[in-house]
Structures are given as C-alpha cells and as structure tokens.
Amino acid sequence: DAKTTQPNSMESNEEEPVHLPCNHSTISGTDYIHWYRQLPSQGPEYVIHGLTSNVNNRMASLAIAEDRKSSTLILHRATLRDAAVYYCILYYSGGSNYKLTFGKGTLLTVNP
Amino acid sequence: DTAVSQTPKYLVTQMGNDKSIKCEQNLGHDTMYWYKQDSKKFLKIMFSYNNKELIINETVPNRFSPKSPDKAHLNLHINSLELGDSAVYFCASSQDKWSFTEAFFGQGTRLTVV
C-alpha cells in the first residue's frame, strides 16, 4: 500500500502562512489525497482533498506536485485555532476494493 | 445539535469485562465507521457499515463486534477486554459508500482497561 511521510512537527507564527508537506512517492493513479486535522481532545476534521489539480476551499489550499509524489497543505493565515495534528491520507476505492493509508501526522504549533 | 455523537466519552473498566460504545449520527449519511487511535496517536480504521451492511472489516480481533440497528447508529461491542484495547475510539460518518471525503467524526471515547 502507498504510504505517506510527514514531518513530525512544525511551528508557525500567528497570521503567517503555513506550508505543511507530505511525501507519497508510491502513490498510484487512482489514489485521492485527503487532509484531515485533529484539534486537541477532538475527533479528526476534514480539511481538503484532491486528485491531480490544486484545490482551494474556505479552510485551506492543496498544492499537488505534477508527478503527484508530494503535496502541500497551505494555511494562508495561521490562527491559534489552527494548532492541531494534520494528517495526510491516501484514499482509493474501487467498488469493494479500497485502501486507506494514514500518515503519522504533523503537529502544528502556532505562536501568538 | 452534535452531528456525530458517541457515548460514553470516558470508559474505565477491568480486564475481562464486556463493554459497548454507542454512536449516532443525525446527518442522514449512509456510511458509518469505527476508528481506533492508539497511544502514539496513530489512527486506524476498524469497521465500516453502509445502510446496516458491513463493508469494511479490518483485521480486528473477534472480540470486537459492530452492530448497526439502523443507518443512523453504529455501536461497538467489545468482549473480554484486554489491556491492549486501551485507546481512543472514534465513530465517523460520510455520505457515500466508498467515499472518505468530508467524513464527520465524533468526539471520541477514551477507553482505559485496568
């Protein structure tokens, strides 16, 4: 199964952009790239997902490398509420076949 | 209203006991999941139900048995609890059968086996 690699931790200052990287060099053509985050003592929360093209939503942007072997989650202006563990996840489903691979996550600390 | 709610939030029990965790979602979703997060914060999928039908059953001991009385509920029953079962268990739901997109998670149930 394809695996993801993320830095264990990153630090940012409030109101500055944050770029969270994820490597997935063994990704296959049908794997979707998802990002979830987990705030302290809460369940994971969906952030964004994509396949090949860059994606934007109200929470973040997702930049996907042309060869799809890496991606970057971009928080445009970090706030204290963005402090969380961010998971990069590969997901594929084809009928009854599926695979769901979680990375170990990046702990993002946001300094005031 | 809470979208995905789990009860109890905390559960402390002795080895060998049988316990259940309940989960309910009010989102009208067709698919529900159980995940386990261990002490190292690694999140693993355990089960998934779609319209009361089991569709994902990862390698989980037989002591764990999910039950879905209707598509809004997915309960997890654990027999003969062991120390290694201590973890945080998350329930989740999503609209589509094979979609992980925009899954909603509950707050988690912290299970401690002593």
Side-chain angles (χ1 to χ4, degrees):
Chain A
D1 284 354
K3 293 184 179 179
T4 62
T5 305
Q6 300 175 253
N8 289 332
S9 61
M10 290 185 66
E11 209 168 315
S12 173
N13 295 321
E14 203 174 6
E15 301 203 359
E16 290 184 357
V18 181
H19 290 233
L20 297 164
C22 181
N23 286 323
H24 28 78
S25 58
T26 57
I27 192 171
S28 56
T30 48
D31 285 341
Y32 280 82
I33 303 160
H34 286 75
W35 284 81
Y36 276 71
R37 71 180 185 181
Q38 188 172 17
L39 279 66
S41 301
Q42 293 194 28
E45 174 188 30
Y46 169 79
V47 178
I48 201 166
H49 80 284
L51 183 62
T52 56
S53 303
N54 293 343
V55 185
N56 299 300
N57 67 19
R58 64 175 179 81
M59 288 182 73
S61 295
L62 176 60
I64 301 173
E66 197 169 332
D67 62 7
R68 300 207 331 123
K69 293 186 176 182
S70 65
S71 61
T72 302
L73 178 71
I74 302 166
L75 306 179
H76 295 287
R77 290 181 64 195
T79 69
L80 297 178
R81 292 174 57 185
D82 291 323
V85 177
Y86 286 79
Y87 292 97
C88 172
I89 300 158
L90 299 183
Y91 179 73
Y92 160 81
S93 73
S96 59
N97 295 316
Y98 80 97
K99 53 179 180 175
L100 184 63
T101 308
F102 279 89
K104 294 191 176 181
T106 297
L107 175 62
L108 176 65
T109 302
V110 180
N111 300 314
Chain B
D1 280 346
T2 304
V4 181
S5 58
Q6 300 178 224
T7 54
K9 189 172 182 180
Y10 299 97
L11 183 54
V12 181
T13 187
Q14 290 186 328
M15 283 176 56
N17 284 350
D18 303 337
K19 291 293 178 183
S20 292
I21 306 172
K22 295 186 177 181
C23 178
E24 176 181 5
Q25 55 96 1
N26 62 6
L27 298 165
H29 286 167
D30 288 340
T31 306
M32 296 184 72
Y33 312 80
W34 277 108
Y35 289 82
K36 178 181 180 181
Q37 188 169 45
D38 59 25
S39 57
K40 295 182 179 179
K41 305 294 185 182
F42 202 63
L43 201 60
K44 294 182 181 179
I45 191 168
M46 300 174 67
F47 301 103
S48 177
Y49 268 75
N50 176 261
N51 274 324
K52 303 193 295 177
E53 177 191 356
L54 181 65
I55 58 171
I56 295 176
N57 186 357
E58 286 293 304
T59 307
V60 175
N62 291 336
R63 300 181 294 103
F64 291 78
S65 54
K67 293 283 193 305
S68 183
D70 55 62
K71 76 172 191 176
H73 296 84
L74 180 61
N75 304 322
L76 183 65
H77 189 76
I78 315 170
N79 290 326
S80 303
L81 278 155
E82 300 177 357
L83 294 176
D85 297 332
S86 296
V88 181
Y89 292 84
F90 289 100
C91 177
S93 73
S94 66
Q95 179 57 54
D96 297 325
K97 183 175 183 178
W98 297 111
S99 172
F100 187 59
T101 302
E102 295 192 74
F104 287 80
F105 282 76
Q107 295 289 300
T109 296
R110 182 174 294 278
L111 171 66
T112 304
V113 182
V114 297

